[in-house]
Amino acid sequence: MSGAVEPPRGLVLLAAVWIAVSWLVSFGLRMPLQISAGALTPGVRSMLICCTLGALVAWPMLRLCQTPPPAPVRSTLLDAVTLIVLLQTVLWPLRLATTWAPERTALVDAALVAHVLACCGIVTAALPWRSATVRGLAMAGCLLVAAGPPSVLAAGGLGEVAGAMPRWIGGGFPWIGDAMRATSSLPEADVWRDAWIALASGILLAAAGAVAAAVAGGTASRGSRLRTGSGADTVRGT
């Protein structure tokens, strides 16, 4: 049986520090003389982008640099749930400083959750492996989730291919940036459809990562038992 999974106290502490630094970067030490939604909205956007950077880039990098935990699936899922809960404590109170409708905030929330779960699936699948190559590819996958394939293709000069890709595969930063910059207070029906597809894709990727990690862990465990048995036979033969 695998050992008990400890609550991610270290992750909570690091996330709290990240949120505090993000606040300083976004709002500074002095608030505007005239407190208004127009004055605070740019800071709110910057704050959420910084928090997204922490959830989609800094956290996977931290996890992939560590040794495999005793229960990689449970540990990574617990990390992801912890991050999602912490993001709620940032997103929804900050909404009060903007003109966003609850539906607009829910759209940003859905995009955040979808891409955190996608990164969770990639990290979970890579954790049982000690190979630097596997973990490097997993980190590249998380960066792709954060930036989005269309952005990568556009940067490579394939703008037409990027423009033809569906919106739900757009990536964490583009998704959240577009949701925050939208001029209409209520998201359109097709935007919600794409958000639900992105969320479902994130859930499926998280589930696939859990299955892949379980299979990899089982394979490693059987290999260890076979090596141990072979060594015991050798000792008995001598």
Side-chain angles (χ1 to χ4, degrees):
M1 294 180 62
S2 60
V5 178
E6 293 291 331
R9 299 183 183 91
L11 177 63
V12 174
L13 178 61
L14 290 174
V17 173
W18 189 281
I19 290 171
V21 173
S22 299
W23 177 274
L24 291 176
V25 170
S26 303
F27 294 100
L29 296 176
R30 291 186 177 182
M31 297 296 288
L33 295 177
Q34 294 183 348
I35 304 297
S36 64
L40 294 177
T41 297
V44 171
R45 290 173 180 165
S46 175
M47 177 82 177
L48 292 178
I49 290 296
C50 289
C51 290
T52 303
L53 178 67
L56 302 186
V57 178
W59 167 65
M61 186 180 298
L62 176 65
R63 254 305 178 195
L64 292 170
C65 289
Q66 297 174 340
T67 57
V73 175
R74 284 187 293 169
S75 297
T76 313
L77 287 176
L78 186 58
D79 279 2
V81 171
T82 301
L83 288 173
I84 289 171
V85 171
L86 290 173
L87 287 171
Q88 307 308 305
T89 66
V90 174
L91 173 62
W92 288 94
L94 283 178
R95 185 194 76 83
L96 302 177
T98 68
T99 57
W100 299 346
E103 292 83 357
R104 175 67 54 190
T105 310
L107 179 65
V108 176
D109 199 359
L112 281 169
V113 172
H115 292 88
V116 169
L117 290 176
C119 287
C120 173
I122 296 172
V123 172
T124 304
L127 270 187
W129 303 90
R130 295 180 180 272
S131 168
T133 301
V134 172
R135 294 193 171 206
L137 290 174
M139 191 63 228
C142 291
L143 292 175
L144 185 63
V145 168
S151 299
V152 175
L153 291 173
L158 299 175
E160 294 183 359
V161 178
M165 298 186 74
R167 180 168 22 186
W168 60 267
I169 203 172
F173 289 117
W175 245 109
I176 294 164
D178 290 344
M180 291 190 298
R181 288 192 301 268
T183 55
S184 60
S185 59
L186 299 179
E188 296 80 4
D190 60 335
V191 175
W192 270 121
R193 181 199 63 214
D194 292 335
W196 289 123
I197 295 174
L199 185 57
S201 301
I203 294 172
L204 288 175
L205 193 53
V211 172
V215 171
T219 302
S221 178
R222 286 194 298 271
S224 178
R225 288 198 299 269
L226 286 174
R227 287 192 297 269
T228 302
S230 176
D233 292 341
T234 302
V235 171
R236 285 196 296 269
T238 58

